Amino acid sequence: MAKEILIGRQDILARVEKLAQEVSADYAGKEPILIGILNGVVFFFADLVMRITIPCKIDFIRAASYGSGTASSGTVKFIKDVEIPVQGQDLLIVEDIVDTGLTLDRIVRSLKEKDPASTRICALIDKRERREQSVTIDYCGFEVEQGFLVGYGLDYDEQYRNLPDIYVLK
Ligand code: IMP
Ligand code: MG
């Protein structure tokens, strides 16, 4: 499938550095748990977490909202939940891309049931085109109006995750 570069690696890393600085400043004196939403977030998560300068813990959730292809199924399946106890903790949920918002909404609601001290959201890409469920993104890398993006962890039918830049499929 044809693809066109949208955000290059250097621009990604410059933005990730800024996000890490903001997170480190905002959570100074705290020890947040950064919760990555697998699988798409892996490279963003690693780049972000390694640039955070305060003590923090990491954990992961695996939720699937997409089958193959580019359309959201609207239902979210939990395949793996957090393992570190989150009650009373400050949680920063880290997601690759927010599209309809359904996945993140389900994840936030399930985490809030565990009674954390706080929950915030950090997303690399906020894609507004198909938002169905409003979600507050506290730390946003890039806003993109439309298109199906691949690379830097983002896949189309499990392909392209390994590309170091972000592309839009044509
Ligand atoms: P949502 O529930 O529609 O917000 O979907 C969120 C999930 O769908 C993301 O975590 C991605 O895994 C996937 N997704 C949404 N848009 C894209 C895209 O443009 N490229 C790759 N994956 C996407
Ligand atoms: Mg994802």
Side-chain angles (χ1 to χ4, degrees):
M1 203 172 288
K3 58 188 185 348
E4 195 172 90
I5 194 155
L6 187 70
I7 313 169
R9 174 123 188 99
Q10 291 315 313
D11 292 336
I12 297 170
L13 288 181
R15 188 71 192 110
V16 173
E17 173 67 39
K18 292 269 186 240
L19 290 176
Q21 286 173 8
E22 275 183 55
V23 169
S24 302
D26 291 355
Y27 286 90
K30 297 180 176 170
E31 196 172 318
I33 304 175
L34 281 83
I35 300 175
I37 311 301
L38 297 171
N39 293 338
V41 84
V42 286
F43 305 123
F44 172 46
F45 194 78
D47 283 336
L48 180 75
V49 172
M50 284 190 288
R51 288 171 173 78
I52 285 178
T53 55
I54 55 162
C56 62
K57 295 177 180 166
I58 64 169
D59 205 342
F60 297 93
I61 287 176
R62 173 103 170 98
S65 65
Y66 276 41
S68 54
T70 61
S72 179
S73 69
T75 54
V76 177
K77 199 164 71 176
F78 284 86
I79 295 164
K80 184 209 168 298
D81 206 345
V82 281
E83 290 169 53
I84 300 176
V86 299
Q87 188 182 19
Q89 302 300 308
D90 294 298
L91 309 184
L92 181 59
I93 301 162
V94 185
E95 173 66 304
D96 49 5
I97 183 165
V98 184
D99 185 12
T100 63
L102 294 169
T103 310
L104 211 44
D105 180 65
R106 280 287 310 276
I107 289 169
V108 170
R109 278 194 281 144
S110 111
L111 282 171
K112 280 186 174 164
E113 283 171 14
K114 299 179 199 285
D115 205 20
S118 69
T119 44
R120 284 188 191 162
I121 293 171
C122 173
L124 177 66
I125 297 162
D126 180 2
K127 198 169 77 174
R128 303 281 179 77
E129 183 188 13
R130 298 195 293 198
R131 191 65 38 86
E132 288 177 36
Q133 178 68 53
S134 84
V135 285
T136 304
I137 301 176
D138 303 280
Y139 305 94
C140 175
F142 300 95
E143 290 177 10
V144 172
E145 278 312 315
Q146 57 185 16
F148 199 83
L149 311 189
V150 296
Y152 194 56
L154 295 166
D155 74 305
Y156 173 71
D157 216 358
E158 298 301 330
Q159 288 185 72
Y160 306 115
R161 289 196 196 274
N162 60 314
L163 301 174
D165 312 283
I166 296 172
Y167 294 80
V168 61
L169 283 187
K170 289 286 161 186

